[in-house]
């Protein structure tokens, strides 16, 4: 049997067909099993907040110890211009890539403008 880490890569197409709570449940279920989850298009800030809130409720001593999460922002022009930012007309885009995993198995080493470097270890 191959030893290693399972990485689930979820397309933005699949995520777009899910509700926020379905996304959060899918992510938490996978991470609790020791999987690393890579989202092609990250969660919205509201979804990230709900994910962290749900994670905090599921942490238990000797059991689930939490998540490591990293993303870098979208570089598309969809953020709007200065007026949109000042007057709230532009919507906040989700990040373009998000990596989520068990805190005891995933460690982000470097976050750069166009690259994330992470260390992942197999479940103990």
């Amino acid at each position: 049997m191959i030893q290693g880490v399972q990485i689930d890569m979820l397309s933005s197409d699949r995520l777009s067909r899910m509700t926020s709570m379905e996304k959060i449940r899918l992510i938490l279920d996978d991470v609790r099993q020791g999987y690393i989850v890579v989202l092609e298009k990250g969660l919205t800030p509201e979804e990230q907040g709900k994910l962290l809130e749900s994670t905090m409720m599921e942490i238990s001593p000797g059991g689930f110890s939490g998540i490591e999460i990293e993303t870098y922002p979208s570089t598309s022009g969809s953020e709007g211009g200065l007026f949109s930012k000042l007057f709230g007309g532009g919507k906040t885009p989700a990040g373009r890539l998000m990596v989520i995993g068990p805190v005891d198995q995933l460690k982000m080493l470097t976050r750069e403008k166009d690259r994330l470097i992470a260390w992942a270890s197999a479940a103990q």
Side-chain angles (χ1 to χ4, degrees):
M1 176 121 194
I2 296 175
Q3 295 293 318
V5 178
Q6 180 171 325
I7 301 173
D8 288 350
M9 298 180 196
L10 303 176
S11 71
S12 59
D13 189 44
R14 178 176 179 186
L15 293 173
S16 69
R17 295 188 305 263
M18 301 172 83
T19 67
S20 291
M21 288 313 295
E22 288 172 330
K23 292 177 199 177
I24 290 165
R25 190 75 261 150
L26 174 68
I27 292 166
L28 277 177
D29 288 348
D30 281 359
V31 171
R32 286 183 67 104
Q33 292 181 52
Y35 304 158
I36 307 297
V37 179
V38 179
L39 306 180
E40 179 182 16
K41 183 177 179 186
L43 301 173
T44 66
E46 293 81 18
E47 290 170 334
Q48 288 182 44
K50 287 286 187 190
L51 175 61
L52 294 174
E53 182 180 311
S54 297
T55 299
M56 296 304 289
M57 292 188 316
E58 294 192 23
I59 291 176
S60 63
F64 183 58
S65 55
I67 63 172
E68 175 82 15
I69 184 170
E70 190 62 68
T71 189
Y72 47 74
S74 174
T75 58
S76 69
S78 64
E79 294 181 57
L82 177 61
F83 290 114
S84 295
K85 291 177 184 173
L86 289 175
F87 299 110
K91 62 180 190 175
T92 305
R96 65 179 169 183
L97 179 75
M98 182 174 283
V99 180
I100 308 162
V103 73
D104 54 351
Q105 290 177 246
L106 181 65
K107 171 120 175 85
M108 292 300 163
L109 301 176
T110 304
R111 177 183 180 214
E112 298 173 4
K113 177 183 161 190
D114 57 358
R115 175 169 83 159
L116 296 175
I117 300 173
W119 176 262
S121 63
Q124 306 294 328

